[in-house]
Amino acid sequence: MLKYTEIALSRLEVPNETALCIYISGCLHRCQNCHYPELQLPDYGDDLSAHYADIVDLYRSQATCVCFLGEGKCGSEEKDEFGNFVSCAQAKGLKTCLYSGRDVEIEPWMQVFDYLKLGSYQPSRGPLSCPSTNQRMFRKNGDAFLDITSLFWH
């Protein structure tokens, strides 16, 4: 079950979008210098499925994209929940984004999202705004994903 700790509107997380950011707890990563260590707590926050539709309806007129910051335990239950959340958002005309802290290639279940951020935070490489970062941001273009990480490098 996905739990969330807070929500916020941001123009920083997804290029050219106003994102409704939903912070997901239960992160299994222990990134050095984690900016939000509370997200590592397994049962921190509220059940997202109980509030998701209301949250999206409340912010729908202000956001162009729903951005999930984290993927919780990333088990089959969570992946199914994400699929349902993405369908709901897209049915309301919103794009979707997943911020994953895992160092992986794009997995089949992730292909429902319009944007993906992949990669752990490695202090020596810097955040997305640093050209030396190991993290990557992708935008869906048809059946492919384009690397748009350079859009963060002002």
Side-chain angles (χ1 to χ4, degrees), residues 114 139-146:
D114 298 295
R139 181 182 66 226
K140 193 172 195 176
N141 184 18
D143 291 335
F145 280 88
L146 303 175

Side-chain angles (χ1 to χ4, degrees), residues 53-141:
D54 291 335
I55 292 168
V56 171
D57 285 340
L58 183 63
Y59 288 94
R60 181 176 165 190
S61 65
Q62 300 169 62
T64 59
C65 181
V66 178
C67 181
F68 300 95
L69 298 170
E71 40 185 356
K73 297 172 189 161
C74 197
S76 59
E77 181 182 352
E78 289 82 10
K79 292 173 185 178
D80 289 344
E81 283 185 277
F82 277 124
N84 293 332
F85 295 151
V86 166
S87 294
C88 175
Q90 290 174 343
K92 295 174 188 266
L94 297 170
K95 295 175 186 162
T96 57
C97 177
L98 173 67
Y99 263 60
S100 170
R102 294 185 296 132
D103 295 315
V104 296
E105 298 293 320
I106 297 170
E107 298 172 350
W109 74 274
M110 295 174 172
Q111 302 214 7
V112 297
F113 291 93
D114 298 295
Y115 296 92
L116 293 167
K117 192 286 296 179
L118 301 177
S120 62
Y121 173 67
Q122 297 177 12
S124 65
R125 305 283 303 273
L128 275 172
S129 59
C130 185
S132 63
T133 187
N134 62 296
Q135 300 176 322
R136 290 287 172 259
M137 174 66 88
F138 298 94
R139 181 182 66 226
K140 193 172 195 176
N141 184 18

